[in-house]
Amino acid sequence: MEKVVVLLLIALSVVYAAPDPRGLLINLDQGELCLNSIQCKSNCCHRTSGLSLARCAYKASENSECSPKSLYGVYYKCPCERGLTCEADKSILGAITNTNFGVCLDVQRSKQ
C-alpha cells in the first residue's frame, strides 16, 4: 500500500510540474538542433552543407546573404529580418535545388 501511495505522489508531482516555456520540439533557441524552421523562435532552421546538422539561427540582417522562402523549411542562408526583402533569383529550379541566394535590402531606404 505504501508503494502505491509513493507512486501516486510521484505521478502527481510530474503532472503538476510547471512546464518549460521553451519546450522540446518548438520555441527552440539559437544553436539548438532542428528539423524545420517552424521549430525555431527565429523561424530559421539553418545548415551549412547538405550533410551538416541543421540548427536554429538568427535571420539575415541588411546587406547579408539570404534565401527566399524554402520549400523544405531548412535554409542554407536564412531569410531576411522583418522589413527587409531578399533580392534573389526566384526561379523554380533555384527553389528546388536551394541555390537561389540573394542579398537582404531595405526597399523603403532604396526608394528614397
Side-chain angles (χ1 to χ4, degrees), residues 1 6-8 10 14-16 27-30 46 48 68-69 78-79 81 87 89 97 102 104 106 110:
M1 184 65 174
V6 169
L7 288 175
L8 182 62
I10 292 172
V14 169
V15 170
Y16 287 108
N27 286 336
L28 300 177
D29 290 322
Q30 273 53 356
H46 173 266
T48 55
K69 281 289 189 190
C78 285
E81 295 174 340
E87 295 296 325
D89 175 28
T97 60
C104 289
D106 186 357
S110 63

Side-chain angles (χ1 to χ4, degrees):
M1 184 65 174
E2 290 175 7
K3 292 180 183 179
V4 173
V5 172
V6 169
L7 288 175
L8 182 62
L9 288 173
I10 292 172
L12 286 174
S13 66
V14 169
V15 170
Y16 287 108
D20 185 10
R22 184 178 61 81
L24 295 174
L25 298 175
I26 58 172
N27 286 336
L28 300 177
D29 290 322
Q30 273 53 356
E32 294 187 290
L33 293 174
C34 56
L35 296 173
N36 197 304
S37 292
I38 294 172
Q39 295 177 283
C40 303
K41 286 181 182 178
S42 65
N43 287 327
C44 180
C45 188
H46 173 266
R47 67 175 39 183
T48 55
S49 70
L51 298 176
S52 65
L53 295 173
R55 296 183 178 273
C56 294
Y58 291 108
K59 288 195 170 183
S61 59
E62 191 170 5
N63 298 323
S64 297
E65 283 189 304
C66 61
S67 290
K69 281 289 189 190
S70 170
L71 297 174
Y72 312 111
V74 179
Y75 297 95
Y76 288 103
K77 307 286 182 195
C78 285
C80 299
E81 295 174 340
R82 184 176 297 182
L84 302 175
T85 57
C86 188
E87 295 296 325
D89 175 28
K90 295 179 180 162
S91 66
I92 297 294
L93 182 61
I96 292 171
T97 60
N98 204 8
T99 58
N100 53 345
F101 305 131
V103 176
C104 289
L105 298 175
D106 186 357
V107 177
Q108 297 298 328
R109 187 178 299 167
S110 63
K111 287 181 180 178
Q112 293 175 350

